[in-house]
Amino acid sequence: MKLWSLCALLLLVCQPTFAAGTVEVLHWWTSKGESKAVQVLKDKMEAKGHHWKDFAIAGGGGQSAMTVLKMRAISGNPPTAAQLKGQDIQEWGRLGFLTSLDKVAEQEHWENVLLPEVEQIVNDLQLIKYDGQYVAVPVTLHRVNWLWINPHIFKLAGAKVPTTLAEFYVAADKIKAAGYIPLAHGGESWQDATLFEAVALSVLGAQDYAKAFVDLDLTELSSDKMVEVFRQFKKMRQYIDPNAKGRRWNQATEMLMHDQAAMQIMGDWAKGEFTSEHKVAGKDYLCVPVPGTQGMFSYNLDTITFFKLKSNEEDERAQQDLAQILLTKPFQREFSLYKGSIPIRKDVSLKGFDTCSLASMKAFKFAAKNNALVPSFSHNLATSSDVQSAIIDVVSRFFDDPSADPKMAAVRLSRAVKSAM
């Protein structure tokens, strides 16, 4: 007994003293696929001995989450980190809320691990640094301009997979005549904007899209081409069921899985929902570029941004461990498999990824070489939140009004962007 007591005492003495910290990450990854992806991060943090305090705010567009974040920050109690994107990161940096991740970045060699195309994006858009210091970590790369297809309904309706907007309408008419909903959609403003963005990329092309939604060229925003964008966008409305208002994006995806709808225009986070239900790409569902956007890639790059803490040393250590995990090879691979995204490290093998992920990576590299990569304005990559809100407001109001005039909508879009700049 004495010998056993001595051994137990020695084990206790020899164990490293490590006080667990707590991490609280604000995000809006709440669907089935997204929740499984978040679980990967939670498990890895808990494996390091830390406590995970989930801070999920439902709502795919993130508007509600940003409202909550502002309230927490103003009250002097920001979370450990938050899902922030685009120009908002620079704004939070100017306000003095962000903390430096330079120590982790140096230890983990962040300068050398990203895909070169992703490195170019984060540098051009200032997505991970403020005032020369790392303050955020890129996590996922998504393609937004995907058309998801239920092949079973297409076969029953005798429809062909569309490659142009004209072909889309032909297929949609056949599907509608067969008694199915052609286009699954949710009546949330950010979903309207995602659909509008896809139509805009198809009509305008990558260069004019960039003029309008990245450069914010007011002439381009009110041009005849933009009038045509609104005209085509309005035409989409007739293929959406009357119960769409308020439907969440993942519920729209479920409509494809349950043979209720034939198509959905949504980013490849939708693939995470198919994966969560064990659906097989190329068999149970198809992924093709939004008609007319072949060769182009509208991207959404999620980043986790880190805030200054007024808490203890343990929480600060947990915060640094969180930053370290996000760009490791195992996390990048596991998270992307659940999330539907593609890894952003250049040394992560795509073995085991499905045909949609492989197609997404191929399209990403092709678009980068051909100057056809564009940031998604609907997902806050191309503009400030103020400009994005102005665009979405015009787009949603137009989509909700059956009598709205496309020409007047283009004029309103230009005026709204000008007032928000």
Side-chain angles (χ1 to χ4, degrees):
M1 288 299 294
K2 287 183 178 179
L3 180 60
W4 278 107
S5 298
L6 179 60
C7 289
L9 179 62
L10 286 172
L11 284 171
L12 287 171
V13 170
C14 293
Q15 281 183 350
T17 57
F18 172 72
T22 298
V23 291
E24 185 181 25
V25 181
L26 174 64
H27 63 89
W28 52 93
W29 293 324
T30 56
S31 70
K32 287 182 181 178
E34 291 172 333
S35 295
K36 288 185 176 183
V38 172
Q39 187 66 40
V40 173
L41 182 55
K42 177 183 177 182
D43 290 345
K44 291 189 180 298
M45 285 301 295
E46 290 181 343
K48 283 183 171 285
H50 299 301
H51 302 298
W52 176 272
K53 186 177 180 181
D54 202 38
F55 192 4
I57 305 293
Q63 292 93 337
S64 298
M66 291 303 96
T67 300
V68 174
L69 177 60
K70 289 173 184 176
M71 292 172 61
R72 284 282 301 268
I74 290 171
S75 67
N77 183 34
T80 308
Q83 186 183 350
L84 272 178
K85 293 186 292 186
Q87 296 179 23
D88 288 350
I89 294 172
Q90 297 301 308
E91 182 61 28
W92 283 99
R94 284 189 288 270
L95 293 172
F97 282 103
L98 306 184
T99 193
S100 173
L101 303 175
D102 281 0
K103 184 177 179 180
V104 178
E106 184 178 356
Q107 291 174 345
E108 297 296 314
H109 309 290
W110 284 358
E111 292 282 359
N112 302 313
V113 301
L114 295 178
L115 289 166
E117 299 88 352
V118 172
E119 185 76 40
Q120 187 71 46
I121 289 170
V122 298
N123 288 337
D124 288 349
L125 300 184
Q126 296 181 295
L127 297 181
I128 59 176
K129 288 183 179 181
Y130 174 73
D131 198 22
Q133 293 186 318
Y134 284 95
V135 294
V137 185
V139 181
T140 64
L141 178 66
H142 287 287
R143 189 184 196 184
V144 181
N145 59 311
W146 276 122
L147 175 68
W148 305 96
I149 286 176
N150 177 316
H152 179 234
I153 293 179
F154 263 69
K155 185 176 180 180
L156 291 175
K160 294 182 179 179
V161 175
T163 60
T164 66
L165 287 178
E167 290 178 2
F168 175 90
Y169 302 132
V170 171
D173 284 334
K174 288 186 176 182
I175 291 162
K176 194 173 184 178
Y180 296 98
I181 298 168
L183 186 61
H185 187 68
E188 297 175 304
S189 60
W190 73 269
Q191 292 189 64
D192 294 341
T194 300
L195 179 57
F196 177 83
E197 175 179 290
V199 174
L201 187 59
S202 179
V203 173
L204 299 175
Q207 304 310 311
D208 285 345
Y209 171 97
K211 283 182 184 178
F213 300 109
V214 180
D215 301 335
L216 303 180
D217 185 312
L218 300 180
T219 301
E220 188 70 35
L221 286 165
S222 59
S223 67
D224 290 341
K225 275 192 172 183
M226 192 61 68
V227 174
E228 182 62 18
V229 171
F230 276 102
R231 187 177 292 114
Q232 297 292 334
F233 179 53
K234 187 174 186 177
K235 196 170 181 178
M236 291 279 179
R237 193 70 184 85
Q238 64 185 300
Y239 300 111
I240 297 169
D241 67 290
N243 299 317
K245 196 67 179 175
R247 181 186 292 142
R248 295 185 61 186
W249 71 268
N250 51 306
Q251 293 173 322
T253 306
E254 288 172 3
M255 292 170 68
L256 270 69
M257 288 191 274
H258 299 150
D259 284 348
Q260 296 170 353
M263 296 179 282
Q264 182 186 19
I265 291 176
M266 185 55 60
D268 53 18
W269 48 91
K271 188 165 69 70
E273 300 307 292
F274 289 114
T275 301
S276 71
E277 295 295 329
H278 309 290
K279 302 297 183 181
V280 178
K283 176 186 175 183
D284 300 314
Y285 65 96
L286 307 178
C287 55
V288 297
V290 169
T293 70
Q294 295 85 343
M296 293 175 266
F297 194 108
S298 173
Y299 62 85
N300 177 23
L301 187 73
D302 282 320
T303 48
I304 300 295
T305 305
F306 288 72
F307 287 76
K308 290 179 180 176
L309 300 178
K310 293 183 179 179
S311 50
N312 53 48
E313 184 178 331
E314 290 76 20
D315 288 349
E316 290 177 356
R317 177 174 178 175
Q319 184 183 58
Q320 296 291 304
D321 283 346
L322 173 65
Q324 181 269 329
I325 286 172
L326 291 172
L327 268 180
T328 58
K329 287 173 65 175
F331 174 78
Q332 280 285 309
R333 178 177 173 81
E334 293 173 51
F335 190 86
S336 295
L337 283 168
Y338 284 119
K339 189 68 162 53
S341 54
I342 51 178
I344 56 176
R345 280 186 66 119
K346 61 186 178 183
D347 55 358
V348 175
S349 170
L350 294 183
K351 184 178 181 180
F353 281 74
D354 62 32
T355 55
C356 291
S357 292
L358 297 177
S360 187
M361 181 65 85
K362 184 178 180 180
F364 175 64
K365 290 183 174 293
F366 179 87
K369 288 181 180 178
N370 291 278
N371 199 28
L373 275 181
V374 295
S376 168
F377 79 77
S378 64
H379 295 274
N380 208 24
L381 262 292
T383 67
S384 67
S385 290
D386 289 341
V387 172
Q388 180 202 36
S389 295
I391 295 172
I392 291 178
D393 183 63
V394 172
V395 167
S396 282
R397 286 177 182 271
F398 173 83
F399 207 48
D400 289 340
D401 182 1
S403 63
D405 176 37
K407 188 171 183 178
M408 194 64 224
V411 173
R412 286 174 179 156
L413 179 63
S414 182
R415 289 174 180 172
V417 168
K418 183 179 181 179
S419 66
M421 289 170 62

